[in-house]
Amino acid sequence: MTELEWLKKIYPYLGKSFKNEDCAVIKTGHKYFLFTTDALVEGVHFHLSYFNYYNIGYKLGAINLSDIAAGGGTPLWALLNLGTKEISEKTIEFFEGLYTCLKNAGAQIIGGDTVKSSVFFCSLTLIGETKYPLLRKGAKVGDLIFVSKPLGESAAFLRFIKEKDLNEIPENLKTAHLKPIPEIELGKRLSELKIPSSCIDISDGLVLDLSRICEENGLGAILWQEKIPIGAEATFEEALYGGEDYALLFTVPKENVDKLKKLEKMLKKELFCIGQLIKENKIYLEEGDKFVPLKKQGFDHFAK
Amino acid sequence: MTELEWLKKIYPYLGKSFKNEDCAVIKTGHKYFLFTTDALVEGVHFHLSYFNYYNIGYKLGAINLSDIAAGGGTPLWALLNLGTKEISEKTIEFFEGLYTCLKNAGAQIIGGDTVKSSVFFCSLTLIGETKYPLLRKGAKVGDLIFVSKPLGESAAFLRFIKEKDLNEIPENLKTAHLKPIPEIELGKRLSELKIPSSCIDISDGLVLDLSRICEENGLGAILWQEKIPIGAEATFEEALYGGEDYALLFTVPKENVDKLKKLEKMLKKELFCIGQLIKENKIYLEEGDKFVPLKKQGFDHFAK
């Protein structure tokens, strides 16, 4: 069974608050709580040959923060589950990495459970809040597509590490894969200013995550080849299909582009307009005067 | 490093909202949110020789609900992390067990993450709410100690399963270990009526969990041997030290005992008064005219 088939099977069991979003969104009073959870497993999501425990903890924080960023939220509280053979200095290093990453984003660890396990695993549940949640749903034909950083560096790291020692790998690739920077500040501002019509974080690759936005809204997209920002040392393929970028991918109605330009200046952060939503339910790459249909491929651990 | 040493190491990193309680308690507006998380790992917390997947899911729900019960909460929302080799019919059975257990308690699953793992593990984060949280802290000398059900059956199950087939084991022991019943209704009523001065759920054994109440309040306790309710087929040792009872253990100021008696009648549920809190920071068993000091022993997966 693939992950998608599994999700279809369990949909009937999920609460009415479950939507196909980065976070579960629940209204209480005048604001919304955002809930997300993500896990990392040794040998599946990371290898100890190139991940130290500090980085595992840091990355666990970052991938969960990235979901809250995609929801336009302010991260508040985290609960940790940790499975480990033994508790040692390494477990403390892990915890310091997690703590540091969450603290930088203003979140605190309020609880957890540590259990014995022959395989090291960790999962975090992170709760945030927002007045205006950003959702995958809401995009319209003609909205422009933006990404928040150059893409493909995390995937390029995995290509480099097959052949090189960790200390021979360019810093930007190491940061992208080992200590990704979640777009918390950007997500909060986009939400406050109500700029995007939809938002998602790129965790499984630009094309796959864009296809999620498209499916949720019954639309398609054109990507402009020359506008897609490619990380230094990464390939165009990696920018399109590589996972774990943790950039925000969001759509903006044309009338909000001026507001976005002002935000760009204020944050001193370049945002990249890479395409536009279309009516036809397909994703095309515009290369010069050609339109090449792209496959919605991406990563599924459970696919055979 | 033992679990207790680990907790001491990480205390400095924990948010100011972290207290040594069954749940993290956070005030928002006129009520409190309760947050808890607990994990189960194959080969550590259960063996597939006697646990089917439905029961694993059910138990994951129950152990988390028990923490919300101990906080006096109404369970609301759950997020699941699941690590599994493959997604199959068994994974669906697991999900049905979890769903059923949570639904019976009024909680819904709002999100989750399924990841590949060579060892089956699952963790749940459960969020509840209450107007009056029940805490470990608050007990006073002279308060009476109550438990909510006969003890030791879950530990007795583990003794039986070493020698017998599952179908030869008495039903009450199977239920106690495989499908424990969390005390949600009792916890809610105790909270509404503000009866207890402190409350905890017995997950690591009566004496160990009582010692946590005692330590939190700088007190000790006397347990009355003949009053401790022992589950059918369980031994007195198992009632004192066996884990995974998921009973509520709570202390009641004498002036609230009448209210408790009324609640007992209303719920048609027997509650057991088993001892009293004392000033001296030790736990004694009163056997006839003797007072035997009890060791604060219990289960720690990480102890050498």
Side-chain angles (χ1 to χ4, degrees):
Chain A
M1 211 179 287
T2 66
E3 198 168 349
L4 194 64
E5 288 163 346
W6 158 242
L7 287 173
K8 281 186 185 158
K9 283 269 191 188
I10 62 176
Y11 275 150
Y13 299 104
L14 296 169
K16 63 184 187 309
S17 302
F18 181 86
K19 297 283 183 308
N20 197 15
E21 295 286 349
D22 292 278
C23 302
V25 181
I26 293 195
K27 192 172 185 187
T28 54
H30 293 296
K31 61 192 175 186
Y32 295 81
F33 280 117
L34 305 175
F35 300 85
T36 189
T37 191
D38 262 316
L40 295 174
V41 180
E42 179 188 341
V44 178
H45 301 93
F46 62 87
H47 293 274
L48 291 170
S49 55
Y50 55 86
F51 257 93
N52 64 37
Y53 280 87
Y54 184 96
N55 285 344
I56 299 167
Y58 197 97
K59 187 156 180 177
L60 180 67
I63 64 176
N64 280 282
L65 286 167
S66 185
D67 282 324
I68 296 291
T74 301
L76 298 172
W77 311 304
L79 293 101
L80 169 69
N81 279 99
L82 182 60
T84 176
K85 272 193 206 78
E86 55 170 8
I87 302 171
S88 67
E89 283 308 312
K90 288 173 184 169
T91 335
I92 311 274
E93 276 168 44
F94 162 85
F95 203 84
E96 282 171 350
L98 175 64
Y99 169 78
T100 303
C101 181
L102 291 174
K103 186 164 180 275
N104 291 345
Q108 55 173 327
I109 301 170
I110 60 167
D113 187 27
T114 306
V115 293
K116 202 168 176 97
S117 169
S118 56
V119 171
F120 187 94
F121 71 83
C122 51
S123 66
L124 196 77
T125 299
L126 185 61
I127 298 116
E129 67 175 7
T130 182
K131 275 194 181 168
Y132 311 109
L134 304 180
L135 300 173
R136 296 181 185 180
K137 205 172 178 75
K140 299 268 187 296
V141 173
D143 289 355
L144 295 165
I145 303 164
F146 285 81
V147 292
S148 66
K149 61 170 97 154
L151 304 175
E153 292 174 321
S154 183
F157 173 88
L158 291 175
R159 170 167 51 86
F160 272 67
I161 198 71
K162 283 182 191 154
E163 292 165 9
K164 287 187 195 293
D165 279 349
L166 191 58
N167 57 23
E168 298 172 300
I169 295 179
E171 280 304 317
N172 67 311
L173 304 191
K174 285 199 270 189
T175 300
H177 192 80
L178 303 175
K179 287 186 73 179
I181 299 161
E183 300 278 24
I184 286 294
E185 190 58 26
L186 176 62
K188 276 200 267 190
R189 300 293 182 163
L190 289 174
S191 152
E192 282 164 15
L193 299 169
K194 301 189 209 173
I195 291 173
S197 53
S198 73
C199 188
I200 192 171
D201 80 317
I202 304 183
S203 52
D204 296 331
L206 168 60
V207 177
L208 186 61
D209 285 313
L210 175 59
S211 78
R212 288 171 176 149
I213 292 267
C214 289
E215 276 166 33
E216 200 60 49
N217 296 287
L219 298 174
I222 290 172
L223 293 175
W224 304 320
Q225 188 196 24
E226 79 280 13
K227 297 288 189 182
I228 295 170
I230 306 169
E233 310 283 346
T235 67
F236 187 62
E237 278 293 298
E238 286 165 346
L240 284 189
Y241 295 110
E244 304 198 280
D245 283 314
Y246 303 110
L248 290 189
L249 168 66
F250 54 99
T251 60
V252 177
K254 281 181 187 153
E255 63 269 26
N256 288 353
V257 169
D258 281 351
K259 274 205 269 183
L260 188 68
K261 292 287 157 203
K262 280 184 199 157
L263 177 61
E264 241 183 318
K265 271 192 195 158
M266 200 191 81
L267 294 177
K268 292 176 187 147
K269 177 179 174 69
E270 190 178 359
L271 300 169
F272 304 88
C273 185
I274 61 167
Q276 193 165 17
L277 294 180
I278 57 171
K279 205 169 175 183
E280 189 194 353
N281 193 357
K282 280 188 181 163
I283 297 178
Y284 293 98
L285 185 68
E286 186 177 342
E287 290 183 52
D289 53 2
K290 281 188 299 179
F291 289 86
V292 183
L294 295 175
K295 280 189 191 154
K296 293 172 191 172
Q297 75 187 43
F299 199 64
D300 178 350
H301 281 298
F302 292 104
K304 299 276 154 125
Chain B
M1 208 180 290
T2 66
E3 198 168 349
L4 194 64
E5 288 163 345
W6 158 241
L7 286 173
K8 279 184 186 159
K9 283 268 191 188
I10 63 176
Y11 276 148
Y13 298 103
L14 296 169
K16 63 183 189 309
S17 301
F18 181 86
K19 297 282 184 309
N20 197 14
E21 296 285 348
D22 291 279
C23 301
V25 181
I26 293 194
K27 192 171 186 188
T28 55
H30 293 295
K31 61 193 176 186
Y32 294 82
F33 280 117
L34 305 176
F35 300 85
T36 188
T37 191
D38 262 315
L40 295 175
V41 180
E42 179 188 342
V44 178
H45 302 94
F46 62 86
H47 292 273
L48 291 170
S49 54
Y50 56 85
F51 256 93
N52 64 37
Y53 281 86
Y54 184 96
N55 285 344
I56 299 166
Y58 197 98
K59 187 157 181 177
L60 179 67
I63 65 178
N64 280 284
L65 285 167
S66 185
D67 282 324
I68 296 291
T74 300
L76 298 173
W77 310 304
L79 293 100
L80 169 68
N81 280 100
L82 181 60
T84 176
K85 271 193 208 79
E86 55 171 6
I87 302 171
S88 67
E89 284 308 314
K90 287 173 182 169
T91 335
I92 310 273
E93 276 169 44
F94 162 85
F95 203 84
E96 283 171 349
L98 174 64
Y99 169 78
T100 304
C101 181
L102 291 174
K103 188 165 179 271
N104 291 344
Q108 56 172 326
I109 300 169
I110 60 167
D113 187 27
T114 306
V115 292
K116 202 168 177 95
S117 169
S118 56
V119 171
F120 187 95
F121 71 83
C122 51
S123 66
L124 196 77
T125 299
L126 184 62
I127 298 117
E129 67 174 7
T130 182
K131 275 194 180 167
Y132 311 110
L134 304 179
L135 300 173
R136 296 181 184 180
K137 204 171 179 78
K140 299 268 187 299
V141 173
D143 289 354
L144 295 166
I145 302 164
F146 285 81
V147 291
S148 66
K149 60 170 98 154
L151 304 175
E153 293 174 321
S154 183
F157 172 89
L158 291 175
R159 171 167 49 86
F160 272 68
I161 199 72
K162 283 183 192 154
E163 293 165 7
K164 287 186 197 293
D165 279 350
L166 191 58
N167 57 23
E168 298 172 299
I169 296 180
E171 279 304 318
N172 67 311
L173 303 191
K174 284 199 271 189
T175 300
H177 192 79
L178 303 176
K179 287 186 72 179
I181 299 161
E183 300 277 24
I184 287 293
E185 189 59 27
L186 176 63
K188 274 200 268 189
R189 300 293 182 162
L190 289 173
S191 153
E192 281 163 14
L193 299 168
K194 300 187 210 174
I195 291 171
S197 53
S198 73
C199 187
I200 192 171
D201 81 315
I202 304 184
S203 51
D204 296 331
L206 167 62
V207 176
L208 187 61
D209 285 312
L210 175 58
S211 79
R212 288 172 176 148
I213 292 269
C214 289
E215 275 164 34
E216 200 60 48
N217 295 287
L219 298 174
I222 290 172
L223 292 175
W224 304 320
Q225 189 197 22
E226 79 280 11
K227 297 288 189 181
I228 294 171
I230 306 168
E233 310 283 346
T235 66
F236 186 62
E237 279 293 297
E238 286 164 346
L240 283 189
Y241 294 110
E244 303 199 281
D245 283 314
Y246 303 109
L248 291 189
L249 169 66
F250 56 98
T251 60
V252 178
K254 282 185 186 148
E255 61 270 27
N256 287 354
V257 169
D258 282 351
K259 274 205 269 184
L260 188 68
K261 292 288 158 202
K262 279 183 200 157
L263 177 61
E264 240 183 318
K265 271 192 195 157
M266 199 191 80
L267 295 177
K268 291 177 187 145
K269 177 180 174 68
E270 192 177 358
L271 300 168
F272 304 88
C273 185
I274 61 168
Q276 195 164 18
L277 294 179
I278 59 172
K279 205 169 174 183
E280 189 193 354
N281 193 357
K282 280 188 181 163
I283 297 178
Y284 293 99
L285 185 68
E286 187 177 340
E287 292 182 48
D289 54 1
K290 284 187 299 182
F291 289 86
V292 183
L294 294 176
K295 279 188 192 153
K296 292 172 193 172
Q297 75 186 43
F299 199 64
D300 180 349
H301 281 296
F302 293 104
K304 300 273 153 137

